[in-house]
Amino acid sequence: DASSLVNSGDTAWILVSSALVFIMAPGVGYFYSGMARSKNAVSLVFLCMIAMAVVSIQWMIWGYSLALSDTSTNAFIGDLSYGLLLNVGDKPHVNAPTIPGDVYAIFQCMFAALTPALALGGAAERIRILPAVLFCFVWTTIVYDPIAYWSWAPKGWMNVMGSLDYAGGTPVHIASGFGALAFSLVLGKRQGFGSEKFAPHNYLNIILGTSLLWFGWFGFNGGSAVASNGRAGLAVTVTHISACMGGLSWSVIAYFRHGKKFSSFHFCSGAIAGLVAITPASGFVRPWAALVFGLLSGIACHFAVDFKEKFGFDDALDVFA
């Protein structure tokens, strides 16, 4: 009986991690709202929360089954054996043998729900609620679910080839980054782009959003060990170190490029870059390597922000960068 292998400590940690990742949704909202103009601040927080609700329903209907079915035999997409979360229950998933299947399902649900909220930043200040709701449901079904299956499902083609994606670099961050870029290109530029300066309106919201994201990321990466063990501890450690180094490296470069002043916005942007960069490797690298991840990500992402001016696309909140 596979359910006899369930460990109460592992189960408790993944439940806590699920709650931590949930906090990242309002975190993204506050981070984005501070970067946008004041008239769009509340709507961005609301969009992130409604994305959480819409994708959670999608996940229950068929998302979990399409993304993480361990009964599908093809390399590209799951079957519907877990549709409506039927046949899940206490039976552990192959990827998480010491926790109940429904606990693993809700943990992965938080990843799926967060991803389209990230992509919405590329279309900030240009999208209404109803199209955003439709986008979240459809995009999760045809983009996130297949890529998650490739990366994490037992028969997914990237997983079979030996791809090492510990906590979502491909299905979460790469997918949402390119999703944001595509969204911004399809919708076109905001009025005044190129002639008007779009500056952040509320630095306190940016700091609050970064703090919530940083806090939630401990569950995002630490929980991806799907156990309460040393690997989870390592993931939390390197996550923190990379974020710290990313914030410092971005801040130092911005200091010399922008009038020799330190800015909370620059530090927060660098910290987020460090968190993103370490995510797919957080269960595999040692703390010293996290310094390198943070340093390089802070530098690379700082200069990547300039791409939208050079190439003329309006990624409103620099999601792609």
Side-chain angles (χ1 to χ4, degrees):
D1 182 10
S3 62
S4 64
L5 299 175
V6 169
N7 180 282
S8 59
D10 294 345
T11 302
W13 169 235
I14 302 309
L15 287 171
V16 170
S17 295
S18 301
L20 290 172
V21 180
F22 173 85
I23 291 173
M24 295 174 73
V28 171
Y30 275 103
F31 185 72
Y32 283 173
S33 72
M35 293 174 65
R37 290 176 288 186
S38 59
K39 64 180 182 180
N40 299 292
V42 174
S43 66
L44 283 167
V45 180
F46 176 53
L47 278 173
C48 290
M49 294 307 297
I50 203 169
M52 172 67 70
V54 170
V55 176
S56 295
I57 299 302
Q58 186 271 358
W59 194 252
M60 185 273 293
I61 295 171
W62 58 45
Y64 177 63
S65 196
L66 293 176
L68 289 164
S69 171
D70 53 8
T71 59
S72 177
T73 57
N74 75 82
F76 301 101
I77 193 69
D79 56 27
L80 294 176
S81 59
Y82 295 143
L84 298 176
L85 294 186
L86 299 174
N87 306 315
V88 180
D90 291 339
K91 180 184 176 183
H93 189 278
V94 171
N95 291 353
T98 62
I99 64 174
D102 49 9
V103 174
Y104 183 65
I106 195 62
F107 175 64
Q108 288 293 340
C109 173
M110 298 304 158
F111 282 61
L114 182 67
T115 305
L118 295 171
L120 289 173
E125 305 186 343
R126 286 162 292 172
I127 187 169
R128 294 186 174 189
I129 299 298
L130 182 57
V133 167
L134 295 174
F135 166 81
C136 290
F137 193 97
V138 174
W139 187 87
T140 302
T141 301
I142 65 175
V143 178
Y144 178 86
D145 291 346
I147 297 176
Y149 183 85
W150 304 344
S151 302
W152 292 325
K155 295 295 179 66
W157 67 270
M158 290 175 62
N159 193 20
V160 170
M161 290 179 66
S163 169
L164 297 178
D165 188 344
Y166 178 74
T170 306
V172 178
H173 299 132
I174 293 177
S176 63
F178 277 97
L181 175 62
F183 214 159
S184 66
L185 291 173
V186 170
L187 290 183
K189 303 172 185 177
R190 291 169 290 177
Q191 291 183 348
F193 179 79
S195 60
E196 181 181 342
K197 186 177 181 180
F198 298 106
H201 93 278
N202 191 318
Y203 287 86
L204 187 59
N205 276 12
I206 293 173
I207 295 171
L208 175 60
T210 301
S211 301
L212 291 173
L213 285 167
W214 198 326
F215 181 64
W217 229 293
F218 293 140
F220 194 95
N221 289 351
S224 292
V226 290
S228 179
N229 57 19
R231 195 179 196 189
L234 174 65
V236 170
T237 301
V238 299
T239 296
H240 184 61
I241 292 171
S242 183
C244 293
M245 194 65 199
L248 293 173
S249 62
W250 187 308
S251 296
V252 170
I253 294 173
Y255 177 84
F256 291 105
R257 293 189 73 205
H258 302 291
K260 293 191 175 181
K261 293 181 180 180
F262 286 110
S263 165
S264 58
F265 177 44
H266 292 148
F267 176 80
C268 290
S269 297
I272 298 299
L275 290 165
V276 170
I278 197 65
T279 293
S282 57
F284 306 120
V285 302
R286 303 306 303 174
W288 68 263
L291 288 173
V292 180
F293 275 82
L295 175 66
L296 295 181
S297 62
I299 296 171
C301 293
H302 173 87
F303 287 103
V305 171
D306 297 338
F307 287 172
K308 68 180 181 183
E309 280 81 22
K310 291 182 179 179
F311 297 103
F313 60 86
D314 186 11
D315 178 7
L317 304 180
D318 301 319
V319 183
F320 182 70

